[in-house]
């Protein structure tokens, strides 16, 4: 039997003494200088050079901070926008992240009707059956998904994840101000839209709760709305919370305690620009500054949950 | 000045006497036999062969039915799941669709916070600034987007679309049964979640209404929920409605009249499997059966709105 994703997260968090998730959202106009140097010798076309530089940048960041982290969250948009070479770079970064001992979360926020959800799930978590034989997907351990289309749009993702020991993080309450427009709206039957999404997560995740008490279906809950953490935790007692928005977006680790009610692996603290661009605040070389910031965040979260 | 997307849709619908959108969601395990023959001579690896076959399949379908259509809706999941070669196939199909005189709708249902929405918009609708110079995106005319993250997550998409004469189709009421789980929920302040999404669409689209009376910000409203069309049309008087779900999902063209209140280009009728797999119902060769079904749907919609 393959261990469920909840148990895998719990084991990995304990093993690495970290709940920190490195977010990689490389902007090909703002890469670490060393990555641009490395790409200097690569020929045209520009898309191939940019994709090479993006992969090199991610490799450098991983080298600097992977040790401090339990997982990596790859922002798929930042690779996809470079077309086919970008997609190849994404596959390379997935491989490198695994080699560094990290769980790989593809932050793709996909969501679609059943047959299309199956296609996305094949591509990120499973394999694609074709006339020419099966084609392996990206091999992510987990995928972020958008639940606006309802339970039947999430089921194919959950099935694919469960079959491979993988997991999902369902958007429940995102970290941006606009979350108020839809997610924070009160429903006539009581609770907010986010609460209703939280109930979907709890139902979908019920068959996937492992020995650790954690399910393979987690939730994205922004670190920028700590006031929502307590009630969402009550609605989803077994979900691993992926907590983006620390740093650049204003979220603070010390406000996240309710996320960790089910234990140290109950919350995964995601930081992207706060780590990768730390040198812009502190000076020094990018790798050293990133490592110091990652170590600080890791320690902060670990102590909070001790 | 670049014409706005609403005006471009209106002109193209008049020019081609069609409101039919060909949906392409190629399943590499169920392609037209001729596409597999064409891919027979292509070497390994399987992903490259499958991507070649997918592109060939789309080319054959376009050859058969493009004449009946005003636009093509490319299901991005079906290309993306094949990795980098799949993304190259997608770019090829975009080009071929344009050459056939069709507007290109990338059905990607993307949605994310501002900086990431910008990245997706660059990739689908604009270009990507990099250290090595700008890289052209996919060159779609329009993109489907998911509004769960609220207005600030849609703004970068709208900005990118408007800058290039492109448009958006925002998910308002999808065609699947699970739409009831979230979108049909009643809000405490009145109306449903879909109604609130419709209001977001109307606001976002207000500055983009052209001489035709149509805006560059449209809405996805499933043909499977015709009962919702009237009230959603009142909330979004200027939006082009993209109407998926005709055929395989059970929607019927004759139930869609309220969508066309602003004129013949007020609604775009999308059919995918109903056209591409028509030969499975009617027998005969795939191209002929697809052409006949597309011609039937086109006529049905055109008469309905005469």
């Amino acid at each position: 039997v393959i261990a469920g994703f909840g148990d895998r997260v719990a084991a990995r968090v304990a093993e690495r003494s970290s709940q920190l998730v490195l977010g990689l959202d490389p902007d090909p106009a703002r890469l670490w200088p060393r990555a641009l140097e490395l790409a200097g010798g690569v020929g045209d076309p520009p898309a191939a050079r940019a994709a090479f530089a993006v992969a090199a940048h991610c490799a450098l960041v991983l080298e600097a901070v992977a040790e401090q982290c339990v997982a990596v969250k790859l922002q798929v948009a930042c690779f996809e926008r470079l077309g086919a070479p970008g997609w190849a770079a994404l596959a390379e970064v997935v491989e490198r992240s695994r080699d560094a001992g990290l769980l790989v979360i593809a932050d793709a926020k996909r969501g679609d009707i059943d047959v299309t959800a199956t296609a996305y799930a094949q591509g990120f978590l499973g394999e694609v059956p074709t006339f020419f034989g099966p084609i392996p997907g990206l091999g992510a351990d987990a995928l972020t998904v958008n639940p606006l289309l309802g339970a039947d749009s999430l089921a194919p993702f959950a099935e694919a994840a469960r079959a491979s020991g993988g997991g999902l993080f369902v958007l429940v309450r995102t970290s941006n101000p606009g979350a108020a427009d839809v997610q924070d709206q009160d429903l006539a039957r009581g609770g907010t839209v986010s609460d209703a999404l939280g109930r979907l997560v709890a139902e979908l995740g019920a068959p996937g709760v492992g020995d650790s008490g954690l399910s393979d279906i987690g939730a994205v809950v922004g670190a920028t709305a700590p006031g929502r953490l307590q009630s969402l935790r009550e609605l989803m007692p077994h979900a691993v919370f992926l907590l983006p928005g620390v740093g650049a977006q204003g979220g603070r680790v010390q406000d996240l305690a309710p996320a960790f009610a089910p234990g140290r692996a109950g919350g995964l603290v995601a930081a992207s620009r706060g780590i990768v661009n730390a040198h812009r605040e502190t000076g020094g070389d990018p790798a050293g500054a990133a490592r110091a910031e990652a170590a600080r965040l890791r320690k902060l979260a670990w102590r909070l949950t001790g």
Side-chain angles (χ1 to χ4, degrees), chain A residues 98-136:
Chain A
R98 282 182 172 292
D99 290 350
L102 301 178
L103 292 168
V104 176
I105 303 168
D107 190 4
K109 300 188 176 67
R110 301 299 193 252
D112 213 309
I113 64 165
D114 53 0
V115 60
T116 309
T118 299
Y120 279 126
Q122 289 170 349
F124 284 103
L125 301 167
E127 61 177 28
V128 188
T130 83
F131 186 78
F132 310 99
I135 296 171

Short mmCIF file of all heavy atoms in Angstrom, two decimals, chain A residues 98-136:
data_model
loop_
_atom_site.label_atom_id
_atom_site.label_comp_id
_atom_site.label_asym_id
_atom_site.label_seq_id
_atom_site.Cartn_x
_atom_site.Cartn_y
_atom_site.Cartn_z
N ARG A 98 12.60 17.12 -6.03
CA ARG A 98 12.54 15.76 -5.47
C ARG A 98 13.90 15.30 -5.00
O ARG A 98 14.04 14.70 -3.94
CB ARG A 98 12.12 14.78 -6.55
CG ARG A 98 10.69 14.78 -6.86
CD ARG A 98 10.46 13.68 -7.92
NE ARG A 98 9.06 13.49 -8.13
CZ ARG A 98 8.25 12.98 -7.23
NH1 ARG A 98 8.69 12.57 -6.07
NH2 ARG A 98 6.97 12.86 -7.48
N ASP A 99 14.91 15.54 -5.85
CA ASP A 99 16.27 15.12 -5.50
C ASP A 99 16.75 15.81 -4.23
O ASP A 99 17.58 15.27 -3.51
CB ASP A 99 17.25 15.46 -6.66
CG ASP A 99 17.02 14.58 -7.87
OD1 ASP A 99 16.25 13.59 -7.76
OD2 ASP A 99 17.59 14.86 -8.94
N ALA A 100 16.21 16.99 -3.97
CA ALA A 100 16.59 17.72 -2.75
C ALA A 100 15.74 17.26 -1.56
O ALA A 100 15.82 17.85 -0.48
CB ALA A 100 16.43 19.22 -2.96
N GLY A 101 14.90 16.24 -1.77
CA GLY A 101 14.13 15.69 -0.65
C GLY A 101 12.85 16.43 -0.35
O GLY A 101 12.24 16.24 0.71
N LEU A 102 12.41 17.28 -1.27
CA LEU A 102 11.22 18.08 -1.02
C LEU A 102 9.97 17.46 -1.64
O LEU A 102 10.04 16.86 -2.71
CB LEU A 102 11.42 19.49 -1.61
CG LEU A 102 12.61 20.28 -1.07
CD1 LEU A 102 12.71 21.63 -1.78
CD2 LEU A 102 12.49 20.49 0.44
N LEU A 103 8.85 17.61 -0.96
CA LEU A 103 7.56 17.33 -1.59
C LEU A 103 7.30 18.42 -2.63
O LEU A 103 7.66 19.58 -2.41
CB LEU A 103 6.44 17.33 -0.55
CG LEU A 103 6.48 16.18 0.47
CD1 LEU A 103 5.50 16.46 1.61
CD2 LEU A 103 6.16 14.85 -0.21
N VAL A 104 6.68 18.06 -3.72
CA VAL A 104 6.45 19.01 -4.81
C VAL A 104 4.96 19.34 -4.92
O VAL A 104 4.14 18.46 -5.19
CB VAL A 104 6.94 18.45 -6.16
CG1 VAL A 104 6.60 19.41 -7.29
CG2 VAL A 104 8.44 18.18 -6.11
N ILE A 105 4.65 20.60 -4.68
CA ILE A 105 3.28 21.08 -4.84
C ILE A 105 3.21 21.92 -6.11
O ILE A 105 3.89 22.94 -6.22
CB ILE A 105 2.85 21.95 -3.63
CG1 ILE A 105 3.00 21.16 -2.33
CG2 ILE A 105 1.41 22.45 -3.81
CD1 ILE A 105 2.89 22.02 -1.07
N ALA A 106 2.43 21.47 -7.08
CA ALA A 106 2.23 22.26 -8.30
C ALA A 106 1.11 23.25 -8.01
O ALA A 106 -0.04 22.87 -7.79
CB ALA A 106 1.87 21.36 -9.47
N ASP A 107 1.47 24.53 -7.98
CA ASP A 107 0.47 25.56 -7.69
C ASP A 107 -0.13 26.01 -9.02
O ASP A 107 0.35 26.94 -9.66
CB ASP A 107 1.11 26.73 -6.95
CG ASP A 107 0.05 27.70 -6.43
OD1 ASP A 107 -1.16 27.43 -6.57
OD2 ASP A 107 0.44 28.74 -5.85
N ALA A 108 -1.17 25.28 -9.42
CA ALA A 108 -1.75 25.49 -10.75
C ALA A 108 -3.18 26.00 -10.66
O ALA A 108 -3.71 26.52 -11.63
CB ALA A 108 -1.72 24.18 -11.53
N LYS A 109 -3.81 25.81 -9.50
CA LYS A 109 -5.20 26.28 -9.28
C LYS A 109 -6.12 25.87 -10.41
O LYS A 109 -6.96 26.64 -10.85
CB LYS A 109 -5.22 27.79 -9.05
CG LYS A 109 -4.41 28.23 -7.82
CD LYS A 109 -4.57 29.69 -7.46
CE LYS A 109 -3.83 30.07 -6.20
NZ LYS A 109 -2.35 30.02 -6.30
N ARG A 110 -5.99 24.64 -10.88
CA ARG A 110 -6.84 24.15 -11.94
C ARG A 110 -8.24 23.80 -11.39
O ARG A 110 -8.39 23.52 -10.20
CB ARG A 110 -6.23 22.91 -12.61
CG ARG A 110 -4.85 23.15 -13.22
CD ARG A 110 -4.89 24.21 -14.33
NE ARG A 110 -3.66 24.23 -15.11
CZ ARG A 110 -2.74 25.18 -15.06
NH1 ARG A 110 -2.88 26.23 -14.28
NH2 ARG A 110 -1.65 25.10 -15.82
N GLY A 111 -9.21 23.81 -12.27
CA GLY A 111 -10.57 23.44 -11.92
C GLY A 111 -11.38 23.42 -13.20
O GLY A 111 -11.35 24.38 -13.96
N ASP A 112 -12.10 22.33 -13.43
CA ASP A 112 -12.89 22.23 -14.66
C ASP A 112 -13.88 21.08 -14.51
O ASP A 112 -13.84 20.35 -13.53
CB ASP A 112 -11.96 22.02 -15.87
CG ASP A 112 -12.50 22.68 -17.14
OD1 ASP A 112 -13.68 22.44 -17.46
OD2 ASP A 112 -11.76 23.43 -17.78
N ILE A 113 -14.75 20.92 -15.50
CA ILE A 113 -15.72 19.83 -15.44
C ILE A 113 -15.01 18.48 -15.51
O ILE A 113 -13.85 18.40 -15.88
CB ILE A 113 -16.78 19.94 -16.56
CG1 ILE A 113 -16.13 19.79 -17.95
CG2 ILE A 113 -17.50 21.27 -16.48
CD1 ILE A 113 -17.16 19.54 -19.04
N ASP A 114 -15.75 17.42 -15.18
CA ASP A 114 -15.14 16.11 -14.90
C ASP A 114 -14.12 15.62 -15.91
O ASP A 114 -12.98 15.31 -15.54
CB ASP A 114 -16.23 15.06 -14.67
CG ASP A 114 -17.25 15.00 -15.82
OD1 ASP A 114 -17.12 15.77 -16.79
OD2 ASP A 114 -18.18 14.17 -15.73
N VAL A 115 -14.50 15.59 -17.18
CA VAL A 115 -13.59 15.01 -18.17
C VAL A 115 -12.31 15.84 -18.28
O VAL A 115 -11.21 15.30 -18.47
CB VAL A 115 -14.31 14.84 -19.54
CG1 VAL A 115 -14.79 16.17 -20.07
CG2 VAL A 115 -13.45 14.15 -20.56
N THR A 116 -12.43 17.15 -18.11
CA THR A 116 -11.26 18.03 -18.19
C THR A 116 -10.44 17.96 -16.91
O THR A 116 -9.20 18.01 -16.94
CB THR A 116 -11.71 19.47 -18.48
OG1 THR A 116 -12.58 19.45 -19.61
CG2 THR A 116 -10.53 20.35 -18.78
N ALA A 117 -11.12 17.85 -15.77
CA ALA A 117 -10.41 17.68 -14.51
C ALA A 117 -9.56 16.42 -14.57
O ALA A 117 -8.41 16.40 -14.09
CB ALA A 117 -11.40 17.62 -13.35
N THR A 118 -10.09 15.38 -15.18
CA THR A 118 -9.32 14.15 -15.35
C THR A 118 -8.07 14.40 -16.18
O THR A 118 -6.99 13.90 -15.85
CB THR A 118 -10.19 13.06 -16.03
OG1 THR A 118 -11.32 12.80 -15.19
CG2 THR A 118 -9.41 11.78 -16.25
N ALA A 119 -8.21 15.19 -17.24
CA ALA A 119 -7.05 15.50 -18.09
C ALA A 119 -5.98 16.24 -17.30
O ALA A 119 -4.79 15.91 -17.38
CB ALA A 119 -7.49 16.33 -19.30
N TYR A 120 -6.39 17.26 -16.54
CA TYR A 120 -5.41 17.98 -15.72
C TYR A 120 -4.76 17.05 -14.69
O TYR A 120 -3.55 17.11 -14.45
CB TYR A 120 -6.08 19.15 -14.99
CG TYR A 120 -6.26 20.40 -15.83
CD1 TYR A 120 -7.51 20.99 -15.97
CD2 TYR A 120 -5.18 21.01 -16.46
CE1 TYR A 120 -7.69 22.15 -16.72
CE2 TYR A 120 -5.35 22.17 -17.21
CZ TYR A 120 -6.60 22.74 -17.33
OH TYR A 120 -6.76 23.88 -18.07
N ALA A 121 -5.58 16.21 -14.06
CA ALA A 121 -5.05 15.30 -13.03
C ALA A 121 -4.03 14.34 -13.63
O ALA A 121 -3.00 14.05 -13.03
CB ALA A 121 -6.19 14.54 -12.36
N GLN A 122 -4.31 13.86 -14.84
CA GLN A 122 -3.34 13.00 -15.53
C GLN A 122 -2.01 13.73 -15.70
O GLN A 122 -0.94 13.19 -15.44
CB GLN A 122 -3.87 12.60 -16.91
CG GLN A 122 -5.03 11.62 -16.89
CD GLN A 122 -5.67 11.43 -18.26
OE1 GLN A 122 -5.38 12.19 -19.20
NE2 GLN A 122 -6.55 10.46 -18.39
N GLY A 123 -2.10 14.97 -16.13
CA GLY A 123 -0.90 15.73 -16.45
C GLY A 123 -0.05 16.08 -15.24
O GLY A 123 1.18 16.11 -15.32
N PHE A 124 -0.69 16.37 -14.13
CA PHE A 124 0.07 16.79 -12.95
C PHE A 124 0.39 15.65 -11.99
O PHE A 124 1.43 15.65 -11.35
CB PHE A 124 -0.70 17.89 -12.18
CG PHE A 124 -0.63 19.23 -12.85
CD1 PHE A 124 -1.70 19.72 -13.57
CD2 PHE A 124 0.51 20.01 -12.75
CE1 PHE A 124 -1.65 20.96 -14.19
CE2 PHE A 124 0.59 21.25 -13.37
CZ PHE A 124 -0.49 21.73 -14.09
N LEU A 125 -0.55 14.71 -11.85
CA LEU A 125 -0.43 13.72 -10.76
C LEU A 125 -0.33 12.28 -11.25
O LEU A 125 0.06 11.40 -10.49
CB LEU A 125 -1.67 13.81 -9.85
CG LEU A 125 -1.92 15.16 -9.18
CD1 LEU A 125 -3.32 15.19 -8.58
CD2 LEU A 125 -0.88 15.41 -8.09
N GLY A 126 -0.73 12.03 -12.48
CA GLY A 126 -0.81 10.65 -12.93
C GLY A 126 -0.06 10.42 -14.21
O GLY A 126 1.07 10.88 -14.37
N GLU A 127 -0.69 9.71 -15.12
CA GLU A 127 -0.13 9.51 -16.44
C GLU A 127 -1.25 9.58 -17.46
O GLU A 127 -2.43 9.47 -17.11
CB GLU A 127 0.63 8.18 -16.52
CG GLU A 127 -0.25 6.97 -16.28
CD GLU A 127 0.52 5.65 -16.44
OE1 GLU A 127 1.74 5.64 -16.23
OE2 GLU A 127 -0.13 4.65 -16.80
N VAL A 128 -0.88 9.79 -18.71
CA VAL A 128 -1.87 9.99 -19.77
C VAL A 128 -1.90 8.76 -20.66
O VAL A 128 -0.90 8.44 -21.31
CB VAL A 128 -1.49 11.22 -20.63
CG1 VAL A 128 -2.61 11.54 -21.61
CG2 VAL A 128 -1.16 12.41 -19.76
N PRO A 129 -3.04 8.06 -20.71
CA PRO A 129 -3.13 6.94 -21.64
C PRO A 129 -3.24 7.46 -23.07
O PRO A 129 -4.05 8.36 -23.33
CB PRO A 129 -4.43 6.22 -21.23
CG PRO A 129 -5.16 7.14 -20.33
CD PRO A 129 -4.29 8.30 -19.98
N THR A 130 -2.42 6.96 -23.96
CA THR A 130 -2.50 7.38 -25.36
C THR A 130 -2.42 6.13 -26.23
O THR A 130 -2.06 5.05 -25.76
CB THR A 130 -1.36 8.33 -25.78
OG1 THR A 130 -0.19 7.56 -26.12
CG2 THR A 130 -1.01 9.33 -24.70
N PHE A 131 -2.72 6.31 -27.49
CA PHE A 131 -2.61 5.24 -28.47
C PHE A 131 -1.18 4.72 -28.54
O PHE A 131 -0.94 3.59 -28.95
CB PHE A 131 -3.06 5.79 -29.83
CG PHE A 131 -3.14 4.77 -30.90
CD1 PHE A 131 -4.22 3.89 -30.99
CD2 PHE A 131 -2.14 4.66 -31.86
CE1 PHE A 131 -4.29 2.94 -32.00
CE2 PHE A 131 -2.21 3.72 -32.87
CZ PHE A 131 -3.29 2.85 -32.93
N PHE A 132 -0.22 5.53 -28.18
CA PHE A 132 1.19 5.18 -28.28
C PHE A 132 1.77 4.70 -26.95
O PHE A 132 2.97 4.65 -26.77
CB PHE A 132 1.99 6.37 -28.82
CG PHE A 132 1.38 6.95 -30.07
CD1 PHE A 132 0.58 8.09 -29.99
CD2 PHE A 132 1.55 6.34 -31.30
CE1 PHE A 132 -0.01 8.61 -31.13
CE2 PHE A 132 0.97 6.86 -32.44
CZ PHE A 132 0.18 7.99 -32.36
N GLY A 133 0.89 4.41 -26.01
CA GLY A 133 1.32 3.99 -24.68
C GLY A 133 1.17 5.14 -23.70
O GLY A 133 0.95 6.29 -24.10
N PRO A 134 1.28 4.81 -22.38
CA PRO A 134 1.07 5.84 -21.36
C PRO A 134 2.23 6.83 -21.32
O PRO A 134 3.39 6.45 -21.53
CB PRO A 134 1.01 5.04 -20.06
CG PRO A 134 1.71 3.76 -20.35
CD PRO A 134 1.57 3.49 -21.80
N ILE A 135 1.88 8.10 -21.07
CA ILE A 135 2.90 9.15 -20.97
C ILE A 135 2.90 9.65 -19.54
O ILE A 135 1.85 10.06 -19.02
CB ILE A 135 2.57 10.31 -21.93
CG1 ILE A 135 2.65 9.78 -23.37
CG2 ILE A 135 3.49 11.48 -21.72
CD1 ILE A 135 2.13 10.76 -24.40
N PRO A 136 4.05 9.59 -18.87
CA PRO A 136 4.07 10.04 -17.47
C PRO A 136 3.77 11.53 -17.36
O PRO A 136 4.19 12.32 -18.21
CB PRO A 136 5.50 9.74 -17.02
CG PRO A 136 6.30 9.55 -18.27
CD PRO A 136 5.36 9.16 -19.35
#
